[in-house]
Amino acid sequence: DVFYRELPKVELHAHLNGSVSFQTIEKLISRKPHLNIEHGMTAIGKGQRRTLDECFQVFKVIHQLVDTEEDILMVATDVIKEFAADGVKYLELRSTPREEENTGKDVNMEIDKKKYVETVIKAIRQCKSEGVDIDVRFLLAIDRRNGTEVAMETVKLAEEFMLSTDGLVVGLDLSGDPTVGHGKDLLPALQRAKNCGLKLSLHLSEVPSQLEESDLLLNLPPDRIGHGTFLHPEVGGSQSLVDKVVQNNIPLELCLTSNVKGQTVSCYSKHHFNYWYQMGHPCVICTDDKGVFSTDLSQEYQLAASTFGLSHEAVWKLSQQAIDYIFAPDTVKQQLKQKWIDIQPQMF
Ligand code: 5GP
């Protein structure tokens, strides 16, 4: 539907390596035929579902394909242009800094975490200089699996880049397999990030049985929540968790296709978007991993609208309100709001 494509949009929850499109995967596969990777191993097609655990296996395959500076630059550039082509005007990309040895190859192929971040920043700047119509910011991701020290190292890296990139790095994400590790080990790092002005978007209660951890992390409090699938009492969460989210007015980043394909939500009509949206709580529709889950942001808005009976006006309001929840400063919010005002007459 052309309305959803032309709708100006804000994307706040997109993992770089989960966002790699079919076309880019094809290019990567042709660069590395020796890996014997087929497209079916990197994306979950229409009607298919996997367990969350199987989804995490998919990321491992993609990481094998994306392991040099050249790959990262191409992937980030392609992803940014694809979001722009889908009508996304402001994008917060998130990615886990990785080091790759690339043994047996040229030593110049080695990449460390700093270089990884620099390369993503380079892609953002290149797109900007080419005049791509999208404002892109970056969140460094902490993979919860890697524990206390790596989390602290990632925060320090984010601090450095926040200062040296003139605001392109705006914060941190906490992600990775929710069944591994515990949030309490990461609290000192997250607290430090908060104290130095970095924003926090944390994956919370993505699976049941994370109540205690969610409670602990909500005390920070985070600036936004990823998923929050099992926070509310109807699915085994609790009213006190909901109260903390509401009292702190913490926006939720909601990814319909991701949750249904990853089987943490049984079907679209049971998605927790409904619970929070009905309450009037800040909700932002996002893709999570547009490549892995074979979707895009226009499709996610359309899905939310068709599943929950939202009018075009309601959808417009939803995309417009997302501007209030971005991590970039107020001046950027004002620019985006003006953009929405300029586009509105063409839409209605
Ligand atoms: P990258 O950080 O390498 O750019 O993107 C892939 C990584 O993002 C995965 O390895 C994982 O740590 C994280 N990720 C992507 N999608 C999800 C998700 O749905 N849930 C969680 N918890 N982490 C995710």
Side-chain angles (χ1 to χ4, degrees):
D1 187 325
V2 67
F3 172 82
Y4 296 94
R5 218 145 284 290
E6 287 180 357
L7 178 73
K9 292 171 287 289
V10 167
E11 169 64 81
L12 300 182
H13 190 129
H15 298 270
L16 177 61
N17 286 293
S19 301
V20 189
S21 65
F22 181 88
Q23 292 78 5
T24 306
I25 291 283
E26 294 293 296
K27 288 191 271 181
L28 291 163
I29 287 176
S30 69
R31 280 183 187 182
K32 294 168 217 252
H34 57 281
L35 291 176
N36 284 320
I37 292 171
E38 298 161 22
H39 199 267
M41 296 155 76
T42 65
I44 303 166
K46 210 173 178 315
Q48 291 182 338
R49 298 179 77 179
R50 308 269 175 97
T51 62
L52 200 58
D53 193 46
E54 287 166 334
C55 293
F56 283 99
Q57 299 302 320
V58 174
F59 296 121
K60 281 192 193 151
V61 177
I62 299 173
H63 285 157
Q64 278 184 282
L65 279 173
V66 185
D67 70 343
T68 67
E69 191 182 331
E70 202 187 353
D71 297 335
I72 296 160
L73 187 65
M74 176 178 80
V75 160
T77 309
D78 285 3
V79 165
I80 291 168
K81 290 181 180 174
E82 288 154 3
F83 273 114
D86 188 36
V88 174
K89 303 297 177 195
Y90 175 90
L91 164 68
E92 281 174 21
L93 265 183
R94 54 185 76 190
S95 194
T96 325
R98 253 186 302 141
E99 49 203 357
E100 292 287 351
E101 283 191 13
N102 291 307
T103 39
K105 294 186 206 151
D106 190 323
V107 276
N108 293 328
M109 304 280 272
E110 278 187 7
I111 190 150
D112 62 19
K113 291 181 179 180
K114 196 166 180 173
K115 190 82 196 165
Y116 185 99
V117 177
E118 277 168 3
T119 309
V120 177
I121 299 289
K122 188 172 167 188
I124 296 174
R125 293 208 164 116
Q126 265 181 23
C127 289
K128 193 171 181 187
S129 73
E130 287 176 31
V132 183
D133 182 23
I134 187 170
D135 186 329
V136 186
R137 308 288 160 146
F138 190 39
L139 308 180
L140 270 62
I142 296 172
D143 187 334
R144 46 183 298 137
R145 174 175 61 125
N146 297 332
T148 312
E149 275 168 40
V150 174
M152 192 57 93
E153 189 193 326
T154 309
V155 170
K156 287 179 184 163
L157 204 56
E159 279 181 55
E160 251 178 67
F161 276 98
M162 175 176 64
L163 299 172
S164 68
T165 60
D166 206 19
L168 282 188
V169 169
V170 286
L172 287 141
D173 152 73
L174 172 63
S175 56
D177 189 340
T179 63
V180 183
H182 198 289
K184 70 172 181 303
D185 301 328
L186 311 171
L187 270 180
L190 297 171
Q191 192 64 61
R192 174 175 172 143
K194 217 177 147 63
N195 293 344
C196 74
L198 286 156
K199 303 280 189 185
L200 295 180
S201 169
L202 310 182
H203 284 62
L204 284 193
S205 285
E206 213 178 341
V207 292
S209 81
Q210 284 184 296
L211 297 188
E212 187 205 329
E213 180 189 275
S214 293
D215 189 58
L216 197 67
L217 293 175
L218 279 171
N219 290 337
L220 278 161
D223 299 283
R224 289 197 315 253
I225 293 168
H227 304 299
T229 315
F230 295 92
L231 286 171
H232 60 294
E234 288 168 25
V235 286
S238 76
Q239 191 57 45
S240 78
L241 289 176
V242 172
D243 290 344
K244 279 193 186 181
V245 176
V246 171
Q247 277 154 18
N248 291 296
N249 202 33
I250 312 172
L252 270 80
E253 304 153 355
L254 301 172
C255 315
L256 276 73
T257 299
S258 163
N259 296 155
V260 170
K261 285 194 171 181
Q263 296 181 346
T264 52
V265 170
S266 62
C267 61
Y268 288 104
S269 61
K270 295 215 174 102
H271 195 277
H272 50 293
F273 171 84
N274 206 33
Y275 177 90
W276 295 96
Y277 185 74
Q278 294 296 335
M279 224 170 27
H281 190 79
C283 292
V284 187
I285 301 279
C286 303
T287 54
D288 204 6
D289 301 286
K290 72 175 181 61
V292 170
F293 297 116
S294 316
T295 189
D296 59 33
L297 194 55
S298 302
Q299 200 173 315
E300 294 302 302
Y301 269 94
Q302 189 162 1
L303 253 172
S306 62
T307 308
F308 302 107
L310 310 181
S311 65
H312 280 184
E313 285 76 11
V315 171
W316 176 270
K317 218 171 149 188
L318 201 56
S319 95
Q320 192 174 38
Q321 280 170 349
I323 299 169
D324 288 324
Y325 315 130
I326 70 171
F327 287 165
D330 282 345
T331 49
V332 179
K333 290 182 186 168
Q334 293 316 321
Q335 286 163 12
L336 289 169
K337 284 182 180 169
Q338 189 56 49
K339 212 167 227 180
W340 262 243
I341 290 170
D342 295 342
I343 295 172
Q344 193 167 19
Q346 303 156 32
M347 300 285 298
F348 294 96

